[in-house]
Amino acid sequence: MQTRFQAPRTRFFRRLWIKSSHIFAGSLIQGFAMGVFLFPHSIPSGGGAGIAVLLNHWFQLPMSIGLWLTNISFLLFAVHYLGRISAIGTIMVITVTSVSVNFFEVYFKTPFANVWVNLLAGSLFLGVGIAILFKQRVTNGGIGFVALAIAKRKRLNPGSALFWMNGGIFLITAIVIDWKIIIQALLCQWLSTRIVKWLYSAPLMAKRPLYFLAWRKK
């Protein structure tokens, strides 16, 4: 009888380990893109990152701490509408990304001097990281949860809600720091989205996730 139940339990923990490893890898790659290529030039990769850039500009708060506080605040705001279980993976993403941003900012420097080359490299790595996370059915930040909550409450398209939230934050960041930021942020969004779209449908990533820890089907 004991052997009968050991096999399902072993498979469960194996699937959980594989899923957690993928979430960790995607978060690490995302943090690498931000810490090495994007944040040194104050280029926000999303709405949460845009607020982190503003907090750094106004209060000299480290990017990693600002990113974690912002995303956790967004997540706590929306978890009531979307459920606690679906937030577990996103909490892991936020924490690992923030810690890796701090690590890469301190110990790694970009090999490129040109801001536009850094923008391209950062967008490519960011797209890879987000694609891995999306394959595991987790969002790459707390603001995505807020967009989903607004879409659910107001019966809107989640993509439209996320676009307007990010766009507003990018605009404020551009006004406060530099007008070029809105162009760079939108370009980063477009490039990383193209990478996500391409990788998400690639044969190597087409395999169904093994265990849905952080996503609740509606």
Side-chain angles (χ1 to χ4, degrees):
M1 182 65 68
Q2 185 176 3
T3 306
R4 180 182 175 184
F5 290 100
Q6 278 180 344
R9 185 180 299 177
T10 301
R11 287 196 297 268
F12 169 82
F13 283 110
R14 181 175 178 272
R15 292 171 180 176
L16 182 60
W17 167 255
I18 292 173
K19 183 176 181 67
S20 300
S21 300
H22 288 170
I23 293 176
F24 182 86
S27 305
L28 194 67
I29 295 171
Q30 181 176 245
F32 174 73
M34 295 178 185
V36 176
F37 301 106
L38 300 177
F39 280 174
H41 299 284
S42 298
I43 300 174
S45 57
I51 295 177
V53 170
L54 287 172
L55 291 174
N56 177 263
H57 178 77
W58 284 328
F59 308 109
Q60 289 74 53
L61 187 69
M63 292 284 198
S64 56
I65 297 177
L67 185 67
W68 189 87
L69 289 174
T70 301
N71 280 315
I72 286 293
S73 299
F74 280 132
L75 185 62
L76 292 177
F77 171 81
V79 71
H80 173 72
Y81 302 98
L82 298 173
R84 297 177 183 177
I85 294 178
S86 56
I88 295 174
T90 303
I91 291 174
M92 180 179 176
V93 170
I94 292 169
T95 303
V96 175
T97 299
S98 299
V99 172
S100 60
V101 164
N102 183 71
F103 175 81
F104 288 122
E105 279 186 326
V106 173
Y107 295 104
F108 287 81
K109 300 298 180 184
T110 175
F112 310 116
N114 187 280
V115 61
W116 299 102
V117 177
N118 281 291
L119 172 63
L120 176 60
S123 301
L124 292 176
F125 280 107
L126 183 66
V128 172
I130 293 174
I132 295 173
L133 295 173
F134 279 7
K135 268 300 176 181
Q136 301 305 314
R137 301 296 193 268
V138 293
T139 63
N140 63 316
I143 196 169
F145 250 59
V146 176
L148 288 172
I150 292 174
K152 182 180 179 181
R153 188 177 179 86
K154 301 294 184 181
R155 296 182 180 180
L156 300 173
N157 185 299
S160 300
L162 185 61
F163 173 82
W164 288 109
M165 289 179 68
N166 282 340
I169 295 171
F170 292 160
L171 181 60
I172 295 172
T173 307
I175 293 173
V176 171
I177 301 177
D178 190 339
W179 66 269
K180 293 180 183 178
I181 287 178
I182 193 168
I183 299 174
Q184 294 165 343
L186 291 174
L187 184 57
C188 176
Q189 289 271 294
W190 183 81
L191 289 171
S192 60
T193 300
R194 300 303 297 178
I195 296 297
V196 170
K197 184 178 180 180
W198 178 70
L199 288 177
Y200 194 82
S201 59
L204 289 176
M205 297 190 68
K207 187 176 180 181
R208 183 182 178 86
L210 294 172
Y211 180 69
F212 292 93
L213 169 68
W215 190 266
R216 182 175 64 180
K217 287 187 176 181
K218 302 298 179 184

